[in-house]
Amino acid sequence: TQGILEKFKMSVPVTFHGEEFVVLRLAAQGFLTGQCRRLVATLVCMFHGWLPPDFVRTATRPDVVISTPMAPGHLLYLDECHFSAWEKGHGRVFGESGVADTVVS
C-alpha cells in the first residue's frame, strides 16, 4: 500500500490545563508504518524552527530520500479510525462505543 495522504486538516489550538493542543485529521487509502508520527514530528519541528520552512517541499520530491523525525508514540492520541472501502461493502467496523461491530475472521 502506498501511503499517499489525501486529506490533512488541523483544528485551531485549544488550551487544556494550561497546555495548547491541536487536532490533526489525516485521510489516506493506506498509511506506511510510522507515516503519521513522522508527519506530526516534522510539522512540530517546522513550527519551532528546527527544520526549514521548505522542508516538506524538499522531502516529498521524488528524487529526494531524506530521514524525517518521528514523534514518540506515547505522546500521541488516536481518537478514531474509519475504513471507508471496508465499510461500503460490510458496514461499520467500530460502533459508537469504539468496540468492533463486525467480527473479521
Side-chain angles (χ1 to χ4, degrees), residues 79-91:
D79 181 47
E80 63 184 322
C81 293
H82 293 282
F83 303 95
S84 302
W86 171 269
E87 291 171 357
K88 284 180 186 174
H90 305 283

Side-chain angles (χ1 to χ4, degrees), residues 5-7 14 27 35 37 45 49-50 57 62 72 80-81 92 95 100:
L5 190 63
E6 296 171 355
K7 292 181 186 176
V14 294
Q35 184 178 8
R37 290 174 54 193
C45 289
W50 302 329
R57 184 179 306 113
E80 63 184 322
C81 293
R92 289 186 57 160

